[in-house]
Amino acid sequence: PVPRPSPPSSPVLSKVHTSAPDTKAAIDRSIPEFPAATPIDEDNYFRLHKSPPYLSQISSDVADFLNFHNKRHRKVALVTSGGTTVPLENNTVRFIDNFSAGTRGASSAEYFLENGYAVIFLHREFSLLPYSRHYSHTGNSFLDYLKLSDDGSKVEIDDKYQKEMFQVYKKYNKATKNNLLLMVPFTTVHQYLFTLKLVAQEMSVMGYDALFYLAAAVSDFFLPSSRIPQHKIQSKEIGSKLVVDLEPVPKFLRRLVDSWAPIAMIVSFKLETDNTILISKARGALKRYNHQLVIGNLLQTRKKKVVFVTPAGERWIELTPDQIKDNVDIESIIVPEIIKLHSQWISSRQRMGL
Ligand code: 9Z3
């Protein structure tokens, strides 16, 4: 039998895993019950919930990465990507999830890297990743990109895919060799919020060179620690119906803009399914949080068009029929536009002497 080598370890993937439930954090009755149906204050959330146990491990990786790029005067984008889960049990068998595969985040990270940024990729574990996204979750196995060598003694990349894979691999290799990409995972909305807060605070060393690009699909509702049962919910105990009573997720964007990262440029996404409310909801978010840009998109058309909503007005970015035929990523247009806005933001701040 051929000995099986251990799988390669990624130079850019964090060694932390978030998808296994944190079974130690069993139901905690010392945490007070949240008042029903009142929005939970942002600070209360962080005060009343325990931070994920692995966070300190991530913290030093993030600090090293930022110091490395700060010394080189390189801009850093924090790209969030993929959907957050809401566990219904502590030893999690069931959880609420959402549709996001992380396409927007993974492809945007590539275009930030191509345009000279370093990227912290805060992503849902096992969702799409920059570069490898071209070969994963595609409906075929990565083994289908391979073939046996002519003499049948080895496995190699199929000639059909050589050219494209060579290009993708060169970019991936450049990003990893130059320490330009740091990938940090989350699974639950709880892990997402705590990690975002940590990374945001660390990003303050970058000053104006920090850019937040919040493409993750963040759950609007969650189950507070004080109410999560320790074990699998038993149908015998609850009767015939499972009634799930969720609380609104704190409006973390307010804290991000006000206190975690007050001088960074912040871009958030607004997702809707009803086109008649998209612009007003995006504008509402921009007013409420007072940040620089909201990008509105509809679930149905998100890969083809988005709308930039700024205090100055609205601007649609839409792929042409030819671009759609050629599989152009809309992020290859969105990201350079944002980079332009980031440069303008930096020079306007500098002009103001801030
Ligand atoms: C988005 O709107 C993203 O563009 C998508 C990308 C999630 C639609 P895919 O992963 O989809 O490419 O399949 N993200 C933000 C949605 C969101 O949760 N926004 C929150 C809010 O509006 C927090 S910034 O309150």
Side-chain angles (χ1 to χ4, degrees), residues 6 15 43 103 162 320:
S6 49
K15 300 288 171 284
D43 295 328
T103 315
Q162 275 287 353
T320 63

Side-chain angles (χ1 to χ4, degrees), residues 54-171:
Y54 57 78
L55 219 55
S56 57
Q57 247 173 289
I58 287 176
S59 169
S60 54
D61 288 354
V62 171
D64 292 349
F65 185 83
L66 292 171
N67 285 332
F68 180 88
H69 293 295
N70 196 21
K71 271 194 212 128
R72 288 159 179 79
H73 305 290
R74 189 175 283 127
K75 293 180 190 137
V76 176
L78 171 71
V79 175
T80 72
S81 184
T84 60
T85 69
V86 177
L88 300 185
E89 297 134 341
N90 230 319
N91 288 277
T92 311
V93 175
R94 290 107 166 189
F95 53 87
I96 299 173
D97 203 350
N98 67 54
F99 70 95
S100 170
T103 315
R104 174 87 78 223
S107 52
S108 301
E110 290 180 15
Y111 295 110
F112 277 114
L113 288 162
E114 255 172 53
N115 285 282
Y117 277 65
V119 170
I120 299 181
F121 187 63
L122 179 57
H123 68 285
R124 164 75 176 274
E125 189 166 36
F126 307 130
S127 66
L128 290 174
L129 299 177
Y131 306 114
S132 81
R133 75 180 170 108
H134 300 277
Y135 305 103
S136 64
H137 306 49
T138 52
N140 40 0
S141 154
F142 79 95
L143 295 171
D144 296 326
Y145 295 98
L146 307 177
K147 66 164 179 121
L148 284 178
S149 60
D150 291 340
D151 66 2
S153 69
K154 277 192 310 202
V155 66
E156 15 183 81
I157 310 279
D158 193 318
D159 300 338
K160 273 206 292 281
Y161 307 111
Q162 275 287 353
K163 216 164 132 198
E164 195 221 45
M165 205 179 274
F166 177 63
Q167 295 306 330
V168 173
Y169 185 77
K170 265 203 311 199
K171 290 182 197 162

Side-chain angles (χ1 to χ4, degrees), residues 81-83 99-105 192 214-220 251-253 268-272 285 289 295 297-299 302-303 331:
S81 184
F99 70 95
S100 170
T103 315
R104 174 87 78 223
Y192 171 81
L214 305 173
V218 184
S219 172
D220 284 330
K251 299 288 175 210
F252 64 90
L253 255 177
S268 73
F269 280 79
K270 184 71 170 163
L271 172 71
E272 292 298 339
Y289 305 120
I295 303 182
N297 57 170
L298 291 170
L299 179 71
R302 68 191 189 281
K303 295 186 192 218
E331 293 77 12

Side-chain angles (χ1 to χ4, degrees), residues 298-315:
L298 291 170
L299 179 71
Q300 304 87 327
T301 54
R302 68 191 189 281
K303 295 186 192 218
K304 288 186 248 157
K305 59 178 181 180
V306 299
V307 57
F308 277 36
V309 179
T310 62
E314 288 122 40
R315 187 158 63 94

